[in-house]
Amino acid sequence: MVHRLGGQGFAPGLLEDLEPVLPAASWSVYRTGHRCKPTLFMSASRGVPDTTQDCWWAYLSGPYRSDRTWGRSFDEVPLAAPETRLCHVTATEVEGEHRARVYEAHGVAERVSVVEYESDGSVFAVNFYRHQHQRAFSDRQISAFESVAPVLLALTRKHIDLSHPQAPAAAPWHEATGADLAQALALPVDAALAPLAADGLPVLRMRLVRLQAELTDRELDVCARLLQGMTHEGIATDLGLSVPTVKTYRNRAFARLGIHFRNELFARVLGG
């Protein structure tokens, strides 16, 4: 594994190297929590279609905010110093929405992780997943994984340092309108926006999360329905809310996205 550090083959190669110890079908390394921007650093699969990116976006579409699989709540007081633990869960132990969107939807049956609870309350996690076609991890395999977990944690952090140099500041976003985008695509406005209306709500929520991970569940609910072409009255009826409450969620979401009008929302999602 050391020879792969900093190279493109590190993520897929590590699964192969670890197979004699823990025969996982996929793995991921990410940071999550209420006090940080959720970040997926790397992921890969072996012997199965690689759906790790899809799992990540499904996780960000809502479940990450209430994830209780780490042994402590993100709302707890941050630790005085970083602390490392081993976490092991099966899909049946994961709560409803999280289990349905991430585990069941992608054939994941079990996860074993080495986790570092950071001083700001966030979690840095190195996760390995068994898929449904595989046998359950044995006690012997989990014990063997525990023995190499500190090395895996150090290797992944070192690889991130080598392969993720400080990124330059992002160029300012040009807030194009729906008409601007349609003109660039040489399409009428209605034709340019039609694909969004055909997408299901989960897909639209994931598109929105990719733009702004801090959108709340209700803000995602409202914006996804706006993208489907629903009116404020229709959204209020669908969600069981009052129209003023729907507009409040819309305004909060637009503020997070740095926009002011519905056509800008369409442009941001189409452009993203």
Side-chain angles (χ1 to χ4, degrees):
M1 299 179 195
V2 172
H3 293 296
R4 301 183 192 272
L5 284 171
Q8 293 183 351
F10 180 83
L14 188 139
L15 274 179
E16 181 179 351
D17 294 338
L18 194 65
E19 198 273 341
V21 177
L22 190 77
S26 58
W27 81 303
S28 65
V29 181
Y30 58 75
R31 177 178 287 113
T32 186
H34 293 175
R35 298 175 179 84
C36 72
K37 178 182 179 181
T39 303
L40 177 67
F41 295 103
M42 69 190 88
S43 64
S45 296
R46 182 171 183 260
V48 296
D50 188 6
T51 60
T52 51
Q53 292 280 342
D54 294 332
C55 286
W56 174 245
W57 293 119
Y59 182 62
L60 286 189
S61 71
Y64 89 96
R65 293 191 178 90
S66 56
D67 188 355
R68 299 180 182 178
T69 65
W70 301 118
R72 70 191 311 271
S73 170
F74 292 139
D75 294 325
E76 292 182 34
V77 177
L79 299 170
E83 178 182 317
T84 303
R85 295 185 192 176
L86 192 73
C87 291
H88 176 219
V89 295
T90 61
T92 57
E93 297 173 287
V94 180
E95 295 184 352
E97 181 188 34
H98 188 175
R99 181 176 66 250
R101 291 191 186 183
V102 179
Y103 285 75
E104 293 175 349
H106 301 95
V108 178
E110 190 173 6
R111 187 196 79 210
V112 61
S113 310
V114 55
V115 177
E116 189 165 72
Y117 301 100
E118 301 185 321
S119 57
D120 65 353
S122 62
V123 166
F124 179 85
V126 182
N127 313 287
F128 295 86
Y129 306 94
R130 172 179 69 85
H131 288 228
Q132 292 173 355
H133 71 282
Q134 298 177 290
R135 292 182 179 179
F137 294 143
S138 68
D139 291 343
R140 182 177 179 180
Q141 289 169 336
I142 293 173
S143 177
F145 173 80
E146 186 174 9
S147 69
V148 300
V151 177
L152 293 172
L153 185 63
L155 283 170
T156 52
R157 284 196 176 277
K158 183 64 175 178
H159 178 72
I160 291 168
D161 289 342
L162 292 172
S163 59
H164 291 71
Q166 186 65 36
W173 170 259
H174 171 62
E175 295 187 354
T177 65
D180 293 333
L181 189 61
Q183 183 176 6
L185 296 172
L187 294 169
V189 173
D190 290 345
L193 303 184
L196 291 178
D199 283 339
L201 290 172
V203 173
L204 293 173
R205 285 171 64 97
M206 284 190 279
R207 287 193 181 202
L208 289 162
V209 168
R210 292 178 186 180
L211 290 176
Q212 175 52 266
E214 294 181 3
L215 290 169
T216 67
D217 284 338
R218 274 309 193 195
E219 289 164 2
L220 289 169
D221 288 339
V222 169
C223 287
R225 284 163 174 78
L226 287 173
L227 290 168
Q228 286 192 322
M230 294 179 67
T231 64
H232 293 127
E233 291 76 13
I235 295 171
T237 300
D238 195 36
L239 296 178
L241 304 172
S242 68
V243 171
T245 299
V246 167
K247 291 182 178 179
T248 296
Y249 285 126
R250 177 207 61 189
N251 293 340
R252 289 176 182 172
F254 283 13
R256 294 185 200 276
L257 291 164
I259 61 177
H260 299 90
F261 304 103
R262 186 193 294 234
N263 61 354
E264 293 175 291
L265 177 65
F266 281 101
R268 290 292 298 271
V269 174
L270 283 169

